[in-house]
């Protein structure tokens, strides 16, 4: 069993060691952090070594019209997605070492032709500083629960429908001394009564950042930014403190074609257990919520279709650790696993792998809540950091800092050129995979890469037949509404 606080500390410490570039501006900007941690248990000594192999920060997601058919843009820059893509870079790098007869810290030869597997004792853990967006963020606020949560005390008040206030908390007139129910991103404001004075005329207060510096195709959609609260006027007499059950909310919208959110008061606001897309401003994104992606990785593995060509078995996160923030283990279980727990007929190499779910009591120092706590007048408006940082343990260019899906700080003129591309974009990961294929002795290639001529990214993904079969099973049995990837966007090579 791993210690959640030890993992959180390891990740925060690793983040601290990263260079300044792309980090949040002190005192004003916040971000989200996620990481993949390699665990190695030594059978001989019983020692357990833990090492961050990939780390990501980021809060943004690019809408559909900015998506490129060249595969050269990162459309989803939520920290979880960045950390996972960096991990794929790392795994390709380790496989290159393995096929070149080098000394991989991760892989060893498996029994099938051209395939590899994890060395015994090696496993991977996923860390995120926050509850993933989407289904896992729809958390009931029960008394008992809120006591367990770092949330301020609450009196629910009923009767008003919400209107969103794009990010600026309206710290205005207090309503007849009512305490207002707040999700935890503002928990640190407990000690500061004025912060609890919400404008009840603005009814629903969305705790997202202000959008004024964003382009229309960006969205900020991260767990805590999406936790919305509805302030309600009591229909019963004030002072009774009757509390209707309420929930933390997610800004991720239900995938079209399935159950929609009821949008009713309290706990009846959201449908639960459904696929959601990251919220869009101006336009919706096509990216599934991080809860949905984590659920998918619990069945198909996190290695993706291409690496499945080289691996005898899918790679699963043994454990998911969440930093201090609103959290419910039951809800995480539902979002990340129960939805898929009845999937059957998975092909060889795939299995249902429920991760152990843990929460740390340590908060990420650059979380929205921490920044609000320490924010001082004159420091400028609090906002999410626009950049996404990827670091992974590879020998060349371990750091990749992006903004709006391209390399950070790139000039307009360079857009569309190789210089502007993130090393995590589909095209670069594909090229990195192709260099693994060319580094592999032809006699040591996996069967699926020997027989036919494969050209495009799409061709390679389709060649991963067992992965595609597993995906078919998962889709048909658990996620029929998961949007199909558009082939036309995947024909690059
Ligand atoms: C907030 O409400 C409390 C209680 O009604 C009041 O004493 C305080 O002055 C208010 N603060 C602000 C900034 O409005
Ligand atoms: C980008 O969008 C495409 C199309 O919706 C989707 O298939 C893909 O998974 C997205 N990429 C990421 C990194 O989310
Ligand atoms: C990167 O991995 C190597 C082993 O492959 C290890 O020796 C090194 O300490 C790692 N670096 C970091 C910063 O974790
Ligand atoms: Zn997310």
């Amino acid at each position: 069993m791993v210690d959640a606080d030890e993992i959180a500390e390891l990740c925060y410490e690793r983040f601290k060691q990263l260079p300044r570039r792309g980090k949040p501006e002190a005192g004003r900007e916040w971000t989200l952090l996620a990481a993949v941690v390699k665990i190695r248990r030594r059978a001989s000594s019983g020692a357990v070594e833990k090492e961050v192999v990939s780390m990501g920060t980021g809060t943004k997601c690019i809408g559909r019209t900015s998506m490129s058919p060249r595969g050269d843009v990162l459309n989803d820059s939520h920290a979880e997605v960045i950390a996972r893509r960096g991990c794929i870079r790392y795994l390709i790098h380790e496989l290159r070492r393995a096929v070149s007869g080098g000394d991989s810290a991760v892989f060893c030869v498996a029994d099938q032709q051209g395939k590899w597997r994890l060395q015994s004792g090696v496993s991977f853990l996923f860390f995120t500083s926050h509850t993933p967006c989407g289904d896992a963020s729809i958390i009931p606020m029960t008394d008992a629960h809120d006591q367990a949560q770092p949330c301020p005390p609450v009196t629910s008040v009923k009767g008003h429908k919400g209107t969103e206030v794009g990010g600026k908390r309206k710290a205005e007139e207090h309503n007849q001394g009512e305490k207002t129910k707040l999700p935890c991103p503002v928990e640190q404001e407990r000690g500061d009564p004025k912060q609890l004075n919400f404008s009840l005329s603005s009814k629903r207060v969305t705790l997202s950042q202000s959008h004024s510096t964003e382009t229309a195709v960006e969205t900020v959609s991260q767990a805590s930014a999406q936790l919305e609260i509805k302030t309600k006027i009591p229909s019963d007499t004030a002072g009774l403190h009757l509390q209707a059950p309420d929930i933390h909310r997610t800004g991720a919208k239900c995938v079209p074609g399935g159950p929609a959110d009821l949008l009713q008061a309290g706990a009846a606001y959201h449908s639960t257990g459904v696929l959601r897309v990251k919220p869009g401003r101006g336009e919706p994104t096509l990216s599934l919520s991080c809860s949905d992606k984590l659920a998918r990785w619990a069945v198909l593995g996190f290695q993706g279709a291409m690496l499945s060509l080289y691996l005898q078995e899918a790679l699963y996160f043994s454990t998911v650790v969440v930093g201090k923030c609103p959290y419910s283990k039951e809800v995480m279980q539902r979002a990340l696993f129960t939805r898929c727990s009845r999937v059957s007929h998975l092909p060889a190499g795939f299995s249902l792998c429920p991760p152990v779910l843990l929460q740390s009591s340590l908060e990420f120092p650059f979380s929205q809540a921490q920044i609000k706590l320490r924010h001082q007048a004159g420091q400028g408006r609090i906002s999410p950091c626009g950049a996404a940082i990827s670091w992974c343990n590879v020998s060349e260019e371990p750091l990749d800092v992006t903004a709006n899906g391209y390399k950070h700080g790139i000039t307009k003129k360079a857009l569309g050129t190789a210089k502007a591309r993130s090393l995590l974009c589909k095209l670069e990961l594909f090229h990195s995979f192709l260099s693994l294929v060319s580094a592999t002795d032809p006699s040591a290639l996996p069967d699926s890469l020997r027989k036919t001529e494969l050209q495009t990214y799409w061709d390679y993904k389709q060649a991963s037949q067992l992965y595609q079969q597993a995906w078919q099973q998962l889709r048909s049995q658990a996620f029929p509404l998961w949007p199909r990837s558009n082939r036309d966007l995947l024909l690059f090579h």
Side-chain angles (χ1 to χ4, degrees), residues 32 76 78-81 130-134 221-223 226 278 288-291:
L32 303 170
D76 183 341
H78 280 207
E80 293 93 320
V81 171
H130 54 282
T131 298
C133 63
S221 43
Q222 58 82 32
Q226 294 159 40
K278 285 169 181 161
L288 275 287
S289 72
C290 291
S291 294

Side-chain angles (χ1 to χ4, degrees), residues 316-328:
Y316 299 99
F317 294 123
S318 59
T319 308
V320 174
V321 177
V322 175
K324 182 181 166 188
C325 69
Y327 176 89
S328 156

Side-chain angles (χ1 to χ4, degrees), residues 17-270:
Q17 286 162 14
L18 296 181
R20 177 78 202 86
R21 198 172 157 72
K23 282 189 174 175
E25 192 187 309
R28 197 182 72 73
E29 288 186 328
W30 52 270
T31 195
L32 303 170
L33 180 73
V36 178
V37 178
K38 186 183 79 181
I39 314 262
R40 177 187 291 276
R41 282 169 211 280
R42 301 221 175 255
S44 46
S45 60
V48 180
E49 296 156 17
K50 308 174 190 74
E51 181 191 316
V52 177
V53 294
S54 171
M55 167 160 280
T57 70
T59 60
K60 311 241 176 178
C61 190
I62 289 178
R64 171 175 7 202
T65 54
S66 311
M67 274 173 40
S68 164
R70 298 184 301 273
D72 60 351
V73 185
L74 272 181
N75 44 344
D76 183 341
S77 297
H78 280 207
E80 293 93 320
V81 171
I82 298 283
R84 183 260 184 172
R85 292 176 87 85
C87 184
I88 290 182
R89 265 193 89 198
Y90 167 80
L91 294 172
I92 293 174
H93 180 261
E94 285 297 317
L95 278 169
R96 267 199 80 150
R97 281 163 74 158
V99 301
S100 324
D103 196 15
S104 169
V106 177
F107 293 113
C108 62
V109 175
D111 44 325
Q112 288 167 19
Q113 161 70 28
K115 301 263 187 169
W116 300 82
R117 64 173 176 80
L118 289 184
Q119 292 169 10
S120 100
V122 171
S123 61
F124 292 95
L125 171 155
F126 194 73
F127 172 80
T128 119
S129 61
H130 54 282
T131 298
C133 63
D135 201 45
S137 288
I138 305 172
I139 306 172
M141 297 175 180
T142 63
D143 273 356
H145 179 74
D146 283 343
Q147 272 159 25
Q149 292 303 315
C151 287
V154 213
T155 299
S156 266
V157 281
K158 295 196 203 137
H160 276 204
K161 283 256 203 76
T163 47
E164 295 196 357
V165 197
K168 263 166 281 172
R169 281 176 311 102
K170 299 270 169 129
E172 291 168 7
E173 288 309 297
H174 197 64
N175 180 37
Q176 298 148 347
E178 300 284 342
K179 279 180 276 172
T180 303
K181 185 161 207 158
L182 299 182
C184 301
V186 288
E187 62 104 351
Q188 67 294 336
E189 290 158 356
R190 225 177 327 201
D192 182 357
K194 87 173 185 299
Q195 301 283 356
L196 290 174
N197 294 359
F198 276 61
S199 162
L200 289 185
S201 63
S202 65
K203 294 141 194 174
R204 179 141 59 87
V205 181
T206 303
L207 290 180
S208 57
Q209 71 311 311
S210 128
H211 295 303
S212 58
T213 57
E214 291 159 39
T215 69
V217 293
E218 283 176 65
T219 87
V220 173
S221 43
Q222 58 82 32
S224 57
Q226 294 159 40
L227 293 170
E228 296 170 355
I229 48 167
K230 206 169 190 175
T231 52
K232 294 177 251 145
I233 302 298
S235 59
D236 15 73
T237 39
L240 259 187
H241 298 288
L242 264 190
Q243 189 171 334
D246 206 349
I247 48 168
H248 292 289
R249 295 184 182 170
T250 180
K253 299 281 180 283
C254 298
V255 164
D261 285 325
L262 300 171
L263 308 180
Q264 287 167 11
Y269 187 81
H270 277 313

